[in-house]
Amino acid sequence: MVATMVGGTLLLQDGPYDSLRITGLITGLRPGARGGWHIHTGFTCDDADLVGGHYYDGLSEDPWNVVTYTSDPAGVAAVDVTMMDFTMEPNYERSIAGRVFVVHLSSAQGSARAACGVIEPHGI
C-alpha cells in the first residue's frame, strides 16, 4: 500500500446564534474509512504534546466526540458541520482562532492523529 499524506482545505464561518459552520474536504484518507476530526486546545502542531485535547472550555459535554468523517472510494471526506457555542472572533468565549484542527485516523487504524493544522483567521 502506498502511503499518503492526510490534508485538506476547510472554511470556518461564524453563523447566527453563536454558531460556527465548518465546511471543506479532508483528503489522503483510506477509502471508506470513518474517523474523527476536532478542534483541540493547542495553538501549535510543532509539538504533539502541545496539541492538547478537544477544545470545549465551559461546556458540560464534549461536542467533538460525535463529529466524524466517512471517506469516499478516493479517500476524500466532505465536511459540513455547524457547531453551537464556538466562534472565529478573537478574544470571545470559545474562540477557535489560532487553535489547532486535528484529523484522526479510523478506529481500525488506532484513531491516531493523522493531520494537524493551525486555524488562521482571514478578514477579521
Side-chain angles (χ1 to χ4, degrees), residues 89 120-124:
E89 291 289 333
E120 297 180 13
H122 294 281
I124 291 181

Side-chain angles (χ1 to χ4, degrees), residues 25-49:
L25 298 174
I26 302 171
T27 60
L29 301 165
R30 276 192 176 173
R34 184 170 184 217
W37 59 269
H38 319 98
I39 307 298
H40 281 238
T41 59
F43 293 95
T44 182
C45 295
D46 294 337
D47 182 338
D49 292 334

Side-chain angles (χ1 to χ4, degrees), residues 7-26:
T9 302
L10 301 170
L11 175 64
L12 297 93
Q13 298 173 293
D14 281 320
Y17 311 109
D18 296 324
S19 66
L20 177 72
R21 185 170 182 204
I22 304 170
T23 58
L25 298 174
I26 302 171

Side-chain angles (χ1 to χ4, degrees), residues 44-100:
T44 182
C45 295
D46 294 337
D47 182 338
D49 292 334
L50 299 179
V51 170
H54 298 175
Y55 177 61
Y56 61 100
D57 285 358
L59 298 175
S60 60
E61 294 183 26
D62 182 350
W64 300 106
N65 282 335
V66 297
V67 178
T68 62
Y69 65 80
T70 301
S71 62
D72 66 15
V76 176
V79 169
D80 190 349
V81 171
T82 298
M83 299 296 292
M84 298 305 297
D85 301 314
F86 290 90
T87 183
M88 281 293 297
E89 291 289 333
N91 303 317
Y92 277 67
E93 186 175 23
R94 277 183 295 289
S95 173
I96 63 164
R99 296 198 182 273
V100 295

